[in-house]
Amino acid sequence: DKPNLFPMLPAVAGMQFLTSAFLLPYLALRTSEQLEVNDAVYKSDLGTIESTLGEFRGLGALMATVGTGSIAWFFGGRPEFGGFGERYASFIDLLSIDRVGSSFIVDLVIFALFQGWLVDDDMRRRGVNVDGGELAALRIIAKFVPFFGLAAYLSLRPPLADAR
């Protein structure tokens, strides 16, 4: 059993601050798995922290709440800064001069494209036959609805099996 060259916990912590600067190296350096069609990853294969946080059903709802709050804040928070037209113009102006803001938009696009592959990979780890059409509706929503589809998937996906 070869350990990951870049451990998951520091990578996830770093992703909170520098997103793709940690995500892409983690994905490139992680140990590849050779899963067959009916192979699965078991809950006991993960560490305590990873299994507790990774299997937390409320994570999707928490993500959706934060995302919805952010969108609501964009449209209505701090009305003294103007209506939607003024906010949008200010946002576009900020993106034209702020490299960090622009790189964040690029990160969002890259992750939205990556999301479909990540969902299939996670479903295979959970023993779902994605080629056979198992959980097809959840898979389609998770793959093609950026952010909120993934939030729904995290709440509704099947749990990791317990090793017997």
Side-chain angles (χ1 to χ4, degrees), residues 6-23:
F6 189 16
M8 184 179 116
L9 200 54
V12 170
M15 282 182 231
Q16 304 311 305
F17 303 102
L18 295 173
T19 57
S20 289
F22 281 85
L23 174 65

Side-chain angles (χ1 to χ4, degrees), residues 41-113:
V41 174
Y42 297 103
K43 195 170 186 176
S44 60
D45 294 338
L46 302 175
T48 305
I49 294 172
E50 289 89 354
S51 67
T52 302
L53 294 177
E55 291 298 299
F56 176 55
R57 291 283 177 198
L59 182 60
L62 178 65
M63 284 176 50
T65 301
V66 169
T68 302
S70 297
I71 292 168
W73 184 261
F74 175 77
F75 285 107
R78 306 282 308 259
E80 65 269 21
F81 289 110
F84 177 73
E86 289 176 83
R87 288 172 183 269
Y88 183 73
S90 174
F91 177 66
I92 296 302
D93 185 46
L94 180 66
L95 288 180
S96 70
I97 60 172
D98 183 14
R99 288 184 348 175
V100 174
S102 298
S103 69
F104 187 66
I105 298 296
V106 171
D107 285 348
L108 289 174
V109 170
I110 289 170
F111 192 76
L113 295 172

